[in-house]
Amino acid sequence: MSICLLGARRAIQWSLLLAGLSLTPWAMANNVTEKGEVFERTVEEHGQRYSLIGSGVFRYMIWTAYAGAYYQAGESEPQPLSDVPRRLELAYFHAIDAPDFSEATTESLQKSLTAYEFSQLEAEVEAFNQSYQDVEPQDRYVLSWDGDTLRLALNGDTLYEGGNAELASAMFGIWLGERPLDEDFRDALLGKN
């Protein structure tokens, strides 16, 4: 009797293993991977459903800094600077201090906006910059605009919320605008390569 149970148990284990192996390609097809960081093809967040547009890896000088994925809701063509709901997810490979994020954000916006445009957003940029926290490897920041609210979240915890569409476009423009941090990374996020 115990030999029969052992045989049945092995048959069940083999069946489960084979079923798991047959599901693996399906599960992987629902994700993309960039340097070991996995991004979902669709994400639901704050009542919005977002579809992946593109993903890539951002390199700074000789370092691979982070992997990222760009999503939009309901639009098949990338529109990162429009008012469509969108989200950018960044997975970090290195520790970065909060003041470094603030400094980089301010400098990037000053380079990509006119002096007048930046002056109109300066107080809100300062409030946004105050929300940054230090990151460690494998931490993830998500920047999202749902059509009404700009959010910054770290590992799922919301750090900032605001309702300024111009600030949202300026923030997304850092990575996806006419003068992004890196054109190759922008093009990967927009699904161009």
Side-chain angles (χ1 to χ4, degrees):
M1 177 123 172
S2 63
I3 293 175
C4 265
L5 285 175
L6 183 59
R9 183 175 288 160
R10 283 197 180 148
I12 291 170
Q13 288 173 338
W14 275 105
S15 297
L16 291 173
L17 176 64
L18 291 174
L21 289 175
S22 67
L23 289 176
T24 300
W26 178 82
M28 292 181 76
N30 287 316
N31 301 316
V32 295
T33 303
E34 296 287 350
K35 294 288 259 180
E37 292 294 331
V38 178
F39 298 96
E40 301 286 327
R41 288 199 184 271
T42 59
V43 175
E44 292 198 28
E45 181 178 77
H46 301 287
Q48 272 306 336
R49 182 179 175 90
Y50 298 92
S51 298
L52 180 72
I53 299 294
S55 62
V57 174
F58 180 80
R59 291 172 180 80
Y60 179 73
M61 295 166 59
I62 61 169
W63 296 282
T64 302
Y66 47 82
Y70 173 66
Y71 301 81
Q72 280 186 186
E75 299 289 332
S76 58
E77 288 295 314
Q79 299 181 39
L81 306 182
S82 70
D83 201 33
V84 301
R86 57 208 186 271
R87 90 191 276 283
L88 177 66
E89 186 170 347
L90 302 174
Y92 292 86
F93 298 125
H94 303 281
I96 303 174
D97 296 333
D100 293 336
F101 283 113
S102 297
E103 183 180 332
T105 297
T106 299
E107 287 177 6
S108 296
L109 291 175
Q110 287 174 332
K111 288 178 184 174
S112 64
L113 301 173
T114 66
Y116 176 77
E117 289 169 333
F118 182 78
S119 71
Q120 296 299 300
L121 295 174
E122 192 167 7
E124 291 187 61
V125 170
E126 182 60 34
F128 187 95
N129 283 344
Q130 294 297 319
S131 67
Y132 282 122
Q133 295 182 5
D134 299 346
V135 299
E136 296 295 325
Q138 298 182 338
D139 282 347
R140 289 187 181 213
Y141 264 126
V142 172
L143 179 70
S144 64
W145 170 257
D146 65 10
D148 294 312
T149 304
L150 175 66
R151 288 184 182 85
L152 179 68
L154 178 62
N155 300 326
D157 295 328
T158 300
L159 306 177
Y160 173 88
E161 287 186 331
N164 188 319
E166 288 79 22
L167 178 63
S169 287
M171 294 302 297
F172 279 93
I174 291 172
W175 294 273
L176 301 162
E178 292 294 317
R179 289 174 276 179
L181 289 175
D182 182 79
E183 289 183 7
D184 289 338
F185 185 57
R186 176 198 60 198
D187 292 348
L189 293 175
L190 295 178
K192 293 182 178 179
N193 55 359

